[in-house]
Amino acid sequence: MLNKLREWVFKMRGGLWTLLFVAILFMAKKSTLPKISVALVIILAGQVWRCWAVGFIGLYRGENVKALKLATRGPYALMRNPLYFGNFLIGLGWSVIAGVQAVIIFVISFYLLYNLVIIPHEESFLRSKFGIEYEAYCRDVKRFYPAKLKLEYLRGRFDRKILMRSEIHTIISTITGTLIIIAICYT
């Protein structure tokens, strides 16, 4: 039952991300230029982090978990979930603009959705597909923060074609979402 729920949530993660954004909008309060400036730095950092991560994986868009190879280079040498960490920064930035209540709701929702549902679903797939290689990777690299950094793993082949093909949707969504929140909170 739990596995079916995780599979469904994974398939719906884009829509759930949109719902989190809408929740942030509903909680939006007037904001200040300094707060918006700090938030823009956080949002930009999140999007840049995502772009770096996308260049090191071959497949990531879609309703089902998939992987041709285990990504361990670039930001994947620092953390196992750099795309989701980028999402966290983007959502946190939006929440900072919207206000303290939005930050609290976003952080709790993100933790529950990603740490308890989406990531365990992906980990189950990766564990079954890559076995011992994935287990060793998990021992060296944590979900969201560096533990044992192997510097040689930071090097690797970054593929700009994947970035332009796969991440343009997120870049447009991030820019659009940011402009909407700023328009609502800074009028």
Side-chain angles (χ1 to χ4, degrees):
M1 173 91 168
L2 183 59
N3 288 338
K4 287 288 184 195
L5 173 66
R6 286 179 171 161
E7 183 179 352
W8 180 83
V9 170
F10 184 86
K11 287 179 181 183
M12 302 303 293
R13 70 192 185 285
L16 293 169
W17 181 251
T18 301
L19 286 176
L20 277 175
F21 175 75
V22 170
I24 292 167
L25 284 180
F26 276 114
M27 292 179 273
K29 308 278 186 228
K30 292 264 184 209
S31 195
T32 64
L33 196 54
K35 195 187 313 185
I36 291 171
S37 298
V38 168
L40 287 174
V41 170
I42 296 168
I43 293 165
L44 181 62
Q47 188 58 66
V48 167
W49 193 263
R50 277 187 59 86
C51 287
W52 186 32
V54 167
F56 281 91
I57 55 176
L59 301 168
Y60 87 95
R61 290 265 183 219
E63 290 185 0
N64 299 310
V65 181
K66 55 189 171 241
L68 298 175
K69 62 180 180 139
L70 184 61
T72 60
R73 303 289 181 173
Y76 293 90
L78 298 171
M79 65 182 61
R80 295 193 315 257
N81 297 283
L83 286 169
Y84 295 148
F85 180 72
N87 286 357
F88 176 76
L89 292 176
I90 292 166
L92 181 63
W94 289 341
S95 299
V96 166
I97 295 171
V100 174
Q101 181 184 9
V103 170
I104 293 167
I105 297 298
F106 173 75
V107 169
I108 291 169
S109 298
F110 187 91
Y111 175 81
L112 294 172
L113 185 61
Y114 285 84
N115 263 336
L116 301 180
V117 183
I118 292 174
I119 292 171
H121 177 66
E122 287 185 354
E123 288 175 340
S124 176
F125 168 82
L126 294 170
R127 206 168 264 112
S128 69
K129 181 159 185 173
F130 299 107
I132 295 169
E133 180 186 9
Y134 183 69
E135 292 299 334
Y137 175 63
C138 289
R139 279 191 300 276
D140 289 343
V141 181
K142 303 302 177 204
R143 279 184 175 173
F144 286 114
Y145 61 91
K148 299 176 188 175
L149 175 61
K150 294 183 178 183
L151 292 178
E152 70 269 17
Y153 286 151
L154 285 175
R155 291 183 218 100
R157 187 173 160 267
F158 181 87
D159 189 341
R160 275 184 278 173
K161 292 177 193 166
I162 293 171
L163 174 66
M164 296 314 296
R165 182 180 67 238
S166 298
E167 189 64 5
I168 195 70
H169 172 267
T170 302
I171 293 169
I172 291 168
S173 297
T174 299
I175 291 169
T176 303
T178 303
L179 292 174
I180 290 169
I181 287 180
I182 290 172
I184 288 172
C185 295
Y186 194 70
T187 53

